[in-house]
Amino acid sequence: MTPSIVVLTDFFAVSNRALSYAAGLAVPLKASLLLLHARHDELLAPAAFASRHTTDGELKTAYALEKLAAAQPVATDVDISSFSLAEALQEVVGQRPPLLVVLGRAGAEPTPEDLVTATAMDLLRHTPYPLLVIPLAGWDAFPPRRLLLAVDGEPFSLVEYRDVLNQLLHATQGTFSLVQVTDNGDTPPSAAAVLDTVRTNDLVSELAENSLRQVYQNTIVGGVLQEAAGEQADMLVVVARRHSLLGGLFHRSVTAQLLRESAIPVLVLPAAD
């Protein structure tokens, strides 16, 4: 079966940046695209644009999305749902499990940063598939050639599509590096233990012993972003643990903070623990 990439699409041109990014990945990945639009979602269809919710407005939206789909370089379908975004995505993945789900910043201005982050975390809770979040800036460094995986050093077990990182590296002929940031005085786990965890999850086909950098910073988020900038990474990869997705105070989640603050695309891999 041809792998698919689901792109969460609003009716603003700015989100087409995320679509362009997804289409650019779909070609080397030999994947198809699915444009998913939730017509009553606060992020993809904000209430401020109520005129879009009329019968005529919805017909225009459907036509615009079909036209957009026809312009893509790979086979592209359109799905317009009246469900909430999480429910719409659940229905889609139940019929057609995706390789990736892509979310871009919404085109409505001003869009609260927390709305984008909360949407991403909610999607990860309900549909544990790899989620790629594309920022307003930094999306045009394409194809991603330098991927940085940030881990906390503790064992983890990925839920679905653990091979997506390996496929991305192969498709883009990119390089891979690994960082583990510590923000306190505790002794970090050994490099061998961290590497073993990554190998156990088959994230990449080859993992050199010197590919891991262990650093200390005042904050985990600051350390990860500093490493990404220092290595000129053009995609950041993080593992989202189940407890961080279920917690109510998502502001304190390292994953949520990285989604808000990263200047480059962030690929989130949901873990079972």
Side-chain angles (χ1 to χ4, degrees):
M1 181 181 295
T2 302
S4 67
I5 298 175
V6 176
V7 185
L8 308 177
T9 313
D10 64 16
F11 33 57
F12 302 103
V14 68
S15 68
N16 294 346
R17 297 173 181 175
L19 174 56
S20 296
Y21 197 97
L25 290 178
V27 173
L29 285 170
K30 296 180 173 56
S32 61
L33 294 175
L34 174 62
L35 309 187
L36 176 61
H37 177 69
R39 57 166 59 103
H40 300 301
D41 181 73
E42 184 181 2
L43 180 62
L44 302 186
F49 294 81
S51 62
R52 306 275 184 148
H53 303 316
T54 64
T55 300
D56 184 55
E58 290 179 355
L59 287 173
K60 289 181 179 178
T61 297
Y63 174 77
L65 291 175
E66 291 289 353
K67 185 177 180 180
L68 198 59
Q72 301 311 307
V74 298
T76 304
D77 295 324
V78 173
D79 191 320
I80 300 176
S81 176
S82 295
F83 295 128
S84 70
L85 184 54
E87 292 173 323
L89 187 56
Q90 278 184 307
E91 184 177 50
V92 164
V93 301
Q95 302 169 356
R96 186 181 177 182
L99 179 65
L100 276 175
V101 178
V102 180
L103 172 65
R105 300 293 189 189
E109 295 292 348
T111 299
E113 289 291 328
D114 284 349
L115 177 56
V116 179
T117 306
T119 298
M121 300 295 277
D122 189 50
L123 293 174
L124 288 164
R125 275 194 296 270
H126 292 94
T127 49
Y129 287 86
L131 176 66
L132 180 61
V133 179
I134 310 297
L136 280 175
W139 62 274
D140 52 350
F142 193 88
R145 299 285 190 191
R146 295 176 294 276
L147 280 66
L148 175 65
L149 171 63
V151 294
D152 61 10
E154 298 299 321
F156 60 85
S157 178
L158 296 184
V159 179
E160 295 282 355
Y161 284 101
R162 61 178 58 193
D163 192 44
V164 64
L165 181 56
N166 201 38
Q167 289 190 50
L168 280 172
L169 289 169
H170 178 74
T172 64
Q173 298 184 0
T175 62
F176 169 82
S177 56
L178 180 63
V179 64
Q180 188 247 322
V181 179
T182 303
D183 66 347
N184 54 43
D186 295 340
T187 302
S190 68
V194 177
L195 292 171
D196 282 346
T197 295
V198 176
R199 291 191 180 105
T200 298
N201 282 275
D202 298 321
L203 281 173
V204 292
S205 56
E206 296 182 8
L207 187 60
E209 295 297 328
N210 63 352
S211 60
L212 171 66
R213 179 172 165 80
Q214 292 178 296
V215 300
Y216 171 84
Q217 287 291 341
N218 291 332
T219 67
I220 298 293
V221 172
V224 170
L225 296 181
Q226 182 173 314
E227 286 296 308
E231 295 192 15
Q232 297 183 313
D234 42 32
M235 181 180 289
L236 177 62
V237 186
V238 298
V239 174
R241 296 183 180 278
R242 189 71 177 160
H243 65 78
S244 70
L245 298 177
L246 293 175
L249 297 176
F250 75 86
H251 294 277
R252 298 182 183 177
S253 163
V254 169
T255 301
Q257 291 179 61
L258 288 171
L259 290 178
R260 282 197 300 273
E261 299 178 26
S262 176
I264 59 175
V266 180
L267 175 61
V268 186
L269 305 177
D273 51 352

